[in-house]
Amino acid sequence: MSRKKISQPDMKILWGRSGSKCAICKTDLIQEKKEGSGYPIGEMAHIEDENPTSTRYNHEMMDDERNKYDNLILLCPKCHTIIDKDYQEYTVEKLKQMKKDHEKWVEESLKKHMPNITFAELEVIIKHLMGIPTLENGDYVTIVPPKEKIEKNDLSPEVENYITIGMLKVKQVRDYLNKNPDIHFAERLRAGFVNKYRELRKEGLEGDALFYALLDFASNSSPDFKYMTAGLSVLTYFFELCEVFEE
Ligand SMILES: [Zn+2]
Ligand SMILES: [Zn+2]
């Protein structure tokens, strides 16, 4: 059977909105390693199936459409097997609803965890970000209302909600950076972030896919809400400073 590939932007959006967790059982889909970043163990399952013998197969759907974010649900291998064996229970409508509920749950969880972020979580996240190479040096910083930037960059209401949650801790990120005795610390962090942003743009990512790719980077691909929220606050900090995304 010919399997068309799922594009990088669709992957980024799916993994980002799913919080790297199974939409059914909520298992973390990043396997941690002793050293270095973890690796993905999730499966991007088709809602309208790619298998023509499935009752979830839609003959009218083109392969391209079938492999889009809208038709995918992120699952662990076990739940993927279950939905493909039990078509009666896991209908197209049911899977769409589960995906929607799951993404809402991820957003709510970020909102719930955000107030608990302290310097400790920021330290872990920022330490990781400091380990990355930097190239570029300081151009100046302007502040543009996030609202305008969201429109300009064609970001969805879902991403806007994430940014609104991230705003809750922007001040704490600033305080954290200000208290560092090394005056170049914030500058190095910024340069690393901007580098990554440019790298991802060069790969052709934009809009929501770019946002989720940066969030993944900022939180070191952690499926832990604690670090996801810390990463989100750092990303929002740079978003607000206009270091990333177009003004
Ligand atoms: Zn599962
Ligand atoms: Zn499948």
Side-chain angles (χ1 to χ4, degrees), residues 45-46 49 80 84:
H46 292 89
D49 216 332
H80 186 182
D84 282 355

Side-chain angles (χ1 to χ4, degrees), residues 22 25 76 79:
C22 175
C25 70
C76 70
C79 290

Side-chain angles (χ1 to χ4, degrees), residues 29-48:
L29 298 176
I30 301 289
Q31 184 64 42
E32 315 258 357
K33 277 198 297 200
K34 281 215 182 79
E35 263 172 66
S37 31
Y39 51 93
I41 53 167
E43 298 182 359
M44 294 172 279
H46 292 89
I47 296 175
E48 307 228 38

